[in-house]
Amino acid sequence: MDYVMIGITALWLFLYGYLIVASIDFGAGFFAYYAKRTKKDHVINKLISRYLSPVWEVTNVFFVFFFVGLVGFFPDTAYYFGQTLLVPGSIAIVLLAIRGSFYAFENYGSKENPVYLFLYGATGLLIPASLSTALTISEGGFIQETENGVILMTKKLLTSPYSWSVVFLAIVSVLFISATFLTFYANRANDKQALALVRNYALFWSVPTIIASLTTFIALSQHNPRHYMNLIDLWWVFGLSIGFFSLAIWLIFQGKLYGIAFLCVMFQFFFAFFGYGAGHLPYLLEPYITIYDGATHESMGYALVIAFILGLFLLIPSLLLLMKMFLFDADYVKGKK
Amino acid sequence: MPELDSVVLSRMLTSLTLVFHIIFATIGVGVPLMVSIAEYIGIKKKDSHYILLARRWTRGFVITVAIGVVTGTAIGLQLSLLWPSFMQIAGNVISLPLFLETFAFFFEAIFLGAYLYTWDRFKKPIYHWLLSIPVVIGSGMSAVFITTVNAFMNAPQGFTLEGRTITTIDPIAAMLNPATPTKVAHVLTSSYFTSAAILAAIAAYSILRKKSNVYHRKALKLTVTLTLMFGILTAVAGDFSAKYLAENQPEKLAAAEWLFETEEGADLIMFGRLNESNEIVGGIRFPKLLSFLANGDFNSEVTGLDQFPESLTPPLWIHYMFDFMITIGMYGIGVSLLYILFMRLKKWNELNKPLLWLLVANGPLAMLGIEFGWIYAEVGRQPWILKGYMKVAEGATTSPNVGLMFLLFLALYTALGVTCVVVLRKMFRNNPVELELEHRYPNVTKKDDSKWTT
Ligand code: HDD
Ligand code: HEM
Ligand code: HEM
C-alpha cells in the first residue's frame, strides 16, 4: 500500500470512529432532552451523564483529527472545500461550539438548566445534518468553477433529493446508534427501568434507519451513477452490513447479549461506511480532486504516516485505559464510584 | 477606512476567533501545571488545603477547557474556510505539526477525563497525581506544535518552490525553523506566567472580600511565587525573541521600536507618539538599550526601516502593542517581587490592601499582555501571511459571505464569554471554600495555625 492509500484509510477509520462516538453523544443529547419533556428524565439522564462526562472532549478530537489529517494528506481539499463550505461549515462550527460548551455548563456548572439542555438536545440532531453536507458535496455536481474561484451552488444543494436523503439518513442513524449503545450501557449498569426505555428507542429507530439507507441508495443512483455502479459491484459488503443489522435487531428484540448487539451495529456501519468510501474512490471531490493528484508530497506523506503510527502507540493504550476506567468498570457504570 | 472586502473581513474574523481562543488556550496550557503543582505539594505535605486548591481549580478549569476546545475547533476549520489558498500551499509543508498537535489533544483529553473523575478512586493519592502529568504534557505539547506552525509563517523553510508548485518538502526542517525555539519558549513561559497571575488574582481578591483564611493565604503564597518565577522566565524568553527578530525579521523589531534609520547604539523608546514628519515626540528613552535587547551588546548595530521598501513593512502602531506587553511583564514581576519581599521581612504585612489590589490587577493585565504580544507578532508580520512567499491578500477566500459569518461568530463568542463568567461565578458562589473544607476534610483544623496569623 502506498502512503496515499494508508492516508485515506486512516482518515476514513477516524471518521468512522467519529461517526460512532459522536452518534452516541449526539443521540444521547436528544434522548436526554426528550426524556425531560416526557418526564422520564429521572430514568435515564443520570445514566447518560455518567458515560458522557468523561469522554465528550475525546469525541471532539476525533473530528479535529479527521479534518486536520485531511488537509495534511490532501491539501487541495482545503482549497475546494474551504472555498465552498464557508457558510455550512461556519454553521456547523457554531453548532458544535454551542453543544460542547453548553454541555460543560450544564454538567459541571448549573445543573438542570432547561435552556442548556434544550440547546444540547437540538444541536445533537442539527450537527449531523450540517456535517453530512460535506459528504453530499463530495459527490460532485454542486460546485462550479468560475474565474473568481470555486463556488457552491446553494440552490441546487437545497433542492436535491439526494442531499435531503443524506440528511435524513444521518439523523436517524445517530438516534439508532445511540439508542443501541445506551441499551448496552443500561444493561451493564443493571438499571432495569432505563433499559426498558432505551431498548424501545433502539427498536423504534431501527425502522427509519433501514428505510433511509434504501432511499439514499436510490437517490444516489439518480445523482451519481458512477458511484452507484461501484456500490453495486461491492454488493457483498452491503449484504454483510444488512446481515449485522438484522442480527443486532434480533438480539435486542430477544432481550439478550446487548453488548454483542451493539458490536453488530458497529459492524453494520463499518461495512456500510467502508463500502460507501471504497465506491467513492478515487475521487475525494468529483470531478476535481482524486486521492492521487490531490495528495501531498511523498516526503510529507511518509512523515505523516510515521507520525500516525507513533501516535497510535500513544493513543491506543490511553483509550484502553479510559475505557477500562469508565466503560468496563462495573462499579463506575453502576454509579458506585 | 479600508474597504470591507473579503480579505479585510477574513482578517477580522481570524483575529476575532484567535483573540478569543487565545484566552482559553493560555489557561488551558498554564492551569494544568498549577493544578499539578498544588496537588503534589498537598500530597507531600499531607496538607488538604492544597489538595482542595487543586480540586477547585480543576473544577473551574473544565469550563474554560470546554470553550478552549470549541473555539480551537473553530479556528482549525476557519484556517481552511478563510484562507483556502494559504492552506493549500502551507498545508503541504506544515501539516506535520498540525497533525501531531491532534495527538497531543487526544492525549490531553483522555487523561483530563480520567483525572476529573477519579479524585477518590485510588488508595494512594499519588496515583491520581500521576494522571495530571499527561495533561500537563499534552497541553504543553499542543502549544509547542501550534507555535511551530506560527513560527513557520514567520520564517518559512523546508521546501523549494518552482512557480506556484512545491517541488521538495522537508517536514522536519519546516517545523524546526529559526523562529521556533524562541517562540515556543516565550509562548510556554508566558502561558504559565499568565495562569499563575490569574490564580493569584483570584486568591488576592478572595482575601480582600472575605476575612482571610489559611486556605486563601496558602493559595496566594504559592501562586505569587509561581508568577514571579515564570515572569522572569517570560522576560528572558522575550529577550531571546527580540534577538531572533533582530537577526531574522529586523523590520518587525524596527517597526515596533520606531527605528527609522539603521544605527549603532540604538535607544529603546517606550510609548511617545509620532508627529506628521515621523519624528518621535515624548516617550521614555533608554539610551542604547535597544542595541542590547537586539544583540546583547550596547554598541551594536540595529537594522532600521530604511533598509526595506515601505510596501513591505508592518504598520507602526505595533509599537504600542510591544510597549504594553513589556510594561505588563515588568509590572507582573514587580508586584510579585514586592509581595515576596514583604513576606520575607516579617515586620511588614504582605496582606495589606493596596498590595492585594495590585495583585488582583495583575491577573487581567497578564491576559492583556498575551493579547498585545500576539497582535504585535501577527500584525508585525504584515503584509506577509507566509513571510517572503505569500501576501495576506493572496491567501484569503473570495467567498462573498464572510461579513455575515463575522457577525455570527461575534454573537457566538459574546454568548460563550458571558455564559462562561455566569457559570463560573455561580459555581463558586454556591460552594464556598469553607463549606467544602468542612464537608470533605472535617478533621482539618479551621483555626489558623500560628505561622499564619497576622
Ligand atoms: C503575558 C504575556 C507576555 C509578557 C509579560 C511578555 N510577552 Fe512577549 N509575547 C507574548 C507574551 C508576553 C506572546 C503572547 O506569547 C507572544 C506573541 C507571539 C509570540 O511568539 O509570543 C509575544 C511575542 C514577543 C515578541 C515577538 C516574537 C516574534 O514575533 O517572533 C518579542 C520580541 C517579545 N514578545 C519580547 C518580550 C519581552 C522583551 C518581554 C519583557 C518582559 C515580553 N515579551 C513580555
Ligand atoms: C499559532 C498559531 C497562529 C496562526 C497559525 C495564525 C495565523 C494567522 C493568520 C492566517 C492570520 C491572517 C493573516 C494576517 O492578517 O496576518 C492571522 C492574523 C492575525 N492573528 Fe494570528 N495566528 C496564530 C496565532 C495567533 C494568536 C494566538 C493570536 C492572539 C491574539 C493571533 C492574532 C492575530 C491577529 C490580531 C491577526 C490580525 C492581523 C491583522 O489584522 O493585521 N494570532 N493569524
Ligand atoms: C491558528 C492557531 C490555532 C489553531 C488552529 C488551534 C487549534 C485548536 C483546536 C482544533 C483545538 C481543539 C482541540 C480539541 O478538540 O481538543 C484547540 C484547543 C487548544 N488550543 Fe488552540 N489553536 C490555535 C492556537 C493556539 C495557541 C497559540 C495555543 C497556545 C499558546 C493553543 C493552545 C490550545 C490548547 C492548550 C487547547 C486545548 C484546550 C484547552 O485545554 O483549553 N492554541 N486549538
Side-chain angles (χ1 to χ4, degrees):
Chain A
M1 243 189 347
D2 52 12
Y3 72 94
V4 177
M5 270 328 269
I6 300 178
I8 190 70
T9 311
L11 290 175
W12 206 239
L13 215 75
F14 269 76
L15 194 58
Y16 166 76
Y18 183 65
L19 177 98
I20 297 293
V21 289
S23 291
I24 294 174
D25 177 74
F26 293 154
F30 176 77
F31 290 133
Y33 177 70
Y34 179 75
K36 179 102 187 166
R37 290 301 300 265
T38 50
K39 306 251 176 322
K40 294 199 178 107
D41 44 329
H42 57 284
V43 183
I44 59 168
N45 284 14
K46 223 198 206 102
L47 183 81
I48 291 179
S49 107
R50 276 198 92 64
Y51 163 71
L52 285 182
S53 307
V55 302
W56 79 267
E57 203 190 337
V58 179
T59 308
N60 195 57
V61 184
F62 269 98
F63 179 55
V64 173
F65 185 97
F66 174 74
F67 71 71
V68 169
L70 186 70
V71 173
F73 275 105
F74 307 104
D76 282 354
T77 55
Y79 178 70
Y80 283 92
F81 283 108
Q83 186 74 279
T84 49
L85 286 178
L86 179 65
V87 177
S90 298
I91 293 173
I93 299 171
V94 170
L95 292 170
L96 279 169
I98 291 177
R99 181 182 182 77
S101 47
F102 281 84
Y103 173 71
F105 296 161
E106 214 269 333
N107 200 49
Y108 310 116
S110 39
K111 298 257 184 295
E112 314 283 309
N113 183 322
V115 179
Y116 296 173
L117 193 62
F118 169 74
L119 287 173
Y120 181 62
T123 50
L125 298 188
L126 293 175
I127 294 171
S130 68
L131 288 182
S132 64
T133 322
L135 281 184
T136 308
I137 290 176
S138 74
E139 291 294 335
F142 298 108
I143 285 183
Q144 218 172 9
E145 198 148 27
T146 68
E147 62 232 49
N148 283 331
V150 287
I151 51 170
L152 180 65
M153 297 140 87
T154 315
K155 194 176 272 156
K156 186 162 175 208
L157 183 68
L158 290 180
T159 53
S160 146
Y162 174 65
S163 127
W164 287 107
S165 69
V166 172
V167 167
F168 180 56
L169 177 62
I171 291 177
V172 295
S173 323
V174 159
L175 293 172
F176 178 61
I177 294 174
S178 187
T180 51
F181 174 80
L182 289 174
T183 308
F184 153 70
Y185 202 67
N187 184 52
R188 258 203 93 83
N190 232 340
D191 184 340
K192 294 264 162 16
Q193 246 188 325
L195 176 63
L197 189 66
V198 287
R199 179 173 164 267
N200 275 341
Y201 290 164
L203 291 173
F204 176 84
W205 287 106
S206 67
V207 182
T209 303
I210 207 72
I211 294 176
S213 311
L214 291 176
T215 40
T216 310
F217 244 87
I218 296 166
L220 182 69
S221 74
Q222 302 299 310
H223 182 81
N224 184 342
R226 180 201 67 87
H227 192 177
Y228 177 75
M229 289 317 290
N230 282 352
L231 297 191
I232 296 295
D233 289 343
L234 289 169
W235 60 271
W236 56 275
V237 178
F238 295 92
L240 277 173
S241 174
I242 294 177
F244 277 112
F245 169 77
S246 317
L247 188 58
I249 296 304
W250 186 73
L251 287 174
I252 293 175
F253 190 73
Q254 296 287 316
K256 58 186 180 196
L257 299 177
Y258 292 116
I260 305 287
F262 179 65
L263 268 183
C264 289
V265 171
M266 282 179 67
F267 277 120
Q268 171 203 339
F269 280 89
F270 181 85
F271 285 111
F273 196 66
F274 273 77
Y276 167 86
H280 204 299
L281 293 181
Y283 290 104
L284 285 172
L285 170 62
E286 275 203 57
Y288 300 109
I289 316 173
T290 71
I291 55 170
Y292 293 104
D293 59 30
T296 184
H297 275 261
E298 216 173 326
S299 50
M300 180 54 90
Y302 282 110
L304 291 177
V305 169
I306 292 168
F308 178 72
I309 291 168
L310 292 180
L312 283 186
F313 277 110
L314 199 68
L315 208 60
I316 291 175
S318 328
L319 272 175
L320 287 179
L321 182 73
L322 192 72
M323 280 161 74
K324 185 166 164 289
M325 274 180 178
F326 298 109
L327 202 52
F328 298 116
D329 185 321
D331 282 347
Y332 175 82
V333 177
K334 286 178 188 149
K336 287 192 189 133
K337 267 186 185 168
Chain B
M1 200 47 210
E3 199 192 334
L4 287 184
D5 57 7
S6 62
V7 176
V8 175
L9 286 166
S10 295
R11 287 169 63 180
M12 284 167 60
L13 181 47
T14 305
S15 316
L16 179 71
T17 304
L18 280 166
V19 164
F20 196 67
H21 176 63
I22 197 63
I23 297 175
F24 299 94
T26 302
I27 295 175
V29 174
V31 170
L33 182 68
M34 308 302 142
V35 168
S36 182
I37 292 175
E39 193 186 2
Y40 185 75
I41 295 179
I43 292 170
K44 282 287 128 163
K45 287 192 175 170
K46 296 206 169 37
D47 184 336
S48 331
H49 282 132
Y50 287 101
I51 309 258
L52 186 64
L53 201 58
R55 252 184 132 115
R56 287 175 70 88
W57 283 348
T58 314
R59 224 174 298 141
F61 178 66
V62 228
I63 303 284
T64 59
V65 165
I67 304 187
V69 168
V70 298
T71 51
T73 311
I75 182 65
L77 279 166
Q78 277 178 356
L79 277 182
S80 294
L81 295 174
L82 296 173
W83 308 97
S85 312
F86 163 69
M87 284 304 277
Q88 195 181 15
I89 303 280
N92 262 308
V93 188
I94 203 61
S95 46
L96 182 63
L98 279 173
F99 193 65
L100 288 171
E101 192 195 6
T102 59
F103 280 109
F105 286 142
F106 253 125
F107 200 53
E108 183 202 351
I110 290 172
F111 283 94
L112 184 62
Y115 186 77
L116 281 178
Y117 289 90
T118 52
W119 278 98
D120 301 313
R121 238 166 116 172
F122 298 103
K123 283 199 191 70
K124 285 200 178 144
I126 201 81
Y127 287 158
H128 182 258
W129 174 76
L130 284 177
L131 288 175
S132 74
I133 307 269
V135 182
V136 175
I137 295 178
S139 58
M141 286 316 280
S142 48
V144 169
F145 289 128
I146 195 67
T147 308
T148 64
V149 177
N150 186 269
F152 172 78
M153 296 166 68
N154 284 285
Q157 68 168 36
F159 62 98
T160 44
L161 201 61
E162 278 168 28
R164 295 281 291 169
T165 43
I166 293 172
T167 47
T168 58
I169 297 179
D170 180 351
I172 304 291
M175 225 169 114
L176 301 180
N177 59 68
T180 293
T182 50
K183 237 192 168 99
V184 165
H186 195 46
V187 166
L188 278 180
T189 47
S190 61
S191 296
Y192 296 137
F193 163 71
T194 306
S195 300
I198 289 173
L199 295 173
I202 295 173
Y205 186 72
S206 308
I207 296 176
L208 281 165
R209 267 295 133 114
K210 299 160 208 162
K211 277 187 313 191
S212 73
N213 64 29
V214 201
Y215 170 84
H216 292 305
R217 268 177 272 150
K218 285 182 185 168
L220 189 66
K221 185 178 164 195
L222 175 65
T223 48
V224 177
T225 312
L226 291 169
T227 309
L228 180 62
M229 217 170 86
F230 287 115
I232 293 170
L233 289 176
T234 303
V236 171
D239 182 48
F240 280 114
S241 293
K243 295 190 172 25
Y244 153 79
L245 285 185
E247 193 169 326
N248 298 286
Q249 286 180 280
E251 70 277 24
K252 198 192 252 185
L253 192 65
E257 281 306 327
W258 288 348
L259 186 68
F260 297 102
E261 309 290 334
T262 304
E263 69 183 57
E264 285 171 15
D267 300 346
L268 184 80
I269 294 146
M270 301 279 282
F271 303 102
R273 63 184 178 82
L274 290 176
N275 66 14
E276 284 87 66
S277 47
N278 264 356
E279 280 154 4
I280 303 163
V281 183
I284 315 162
R285 200 171 265 273
F286 298 91
K288 301 198 175 182
L289 193 61
L290 180 58
S291 280
F292 181 74
L293 190 66
N295 301 316
D297 170 0
F298 286 101
N299 292 313
S300 63
E301 184 179 271
V302 184
T303 313
L305 289 171
D306 54 343
Q307 304 292 319
F308 301 92
E310 201 167 329
S311 63
L312 292 185
T313 54
L316 291 173
W317 56 265
I318 59 174
H319 176 67
Y320 297 109
M321 300 293 117
F322 189 62
D323 286 354
F324 286 142
M325 174 179 70
I326 293 188
T327 312
I328 287 168
M330 294 303 155
Y331 174 85
I333 295 174
V335 286
S336 35
L337 199 61
L338 213 60
Y339 168 91
I340 306 272
L341 272 181
F342 271 49
M343 201 174 62
R344 283 285 145 89
L345 296 173
K346 291 271 150 57
K347 267 183 287 182
W348 290 340
N349 175 14
E350 79 272 18
L351 297 175
N352 66 52
K353 269 205 179 141
L355 186 56
L356 286 175
W357 278 116
L358 290 177
L359 285 167
V360 172
N362 191 37
L365 277 178
M367 193 53 91
L368 277 177
I370 295 276
E371 301 282 1
F372 291 137
W374 275 110
I375 295 173
Y376 164 51
E378 296 296 300
V379 179
R381 195 185 56 235
Q382 298 296 314
W384 301 108
I385 192 168
L386 205 54
K387 188 183 175 262
Y389 290 94
M390 185 188 251
K391 298 231 176 98
V392 173
E394 299 160 331
T397 179
T398 50
S399 168
N401 297 315
V402 187
L404 210 62
M405 297 300 117
F406 180 83
L407 296 179
L408 179 71
F409 280 98
L410 187 62
L412 173 71
Y413 300 144
T414 313
L416 289 185
V418 171
T419 328
C420 174
V421 174
V422 171
V423 169
L424 281 177
R425 283 177 65 117
K426 212 160 138 191
M427 198 157 132
F428 289 101
R429 280 269 163 81
N430 294 348
N431 186 7
V433 180
E434 294 76 15
L435 265 179
E436 194 174 351
L437 258 182
E438 190 144 346
H439 166 71
R440 283 194 199 279
Y441 308 106
N443 42 7
V444 172
T445 49
K446 278 189 295 307
K447 263 195 287 163
D448 288 3
D449 46 290
S450 59
K451 185 167 161 278
W452 285 99
T453 35
T454 43

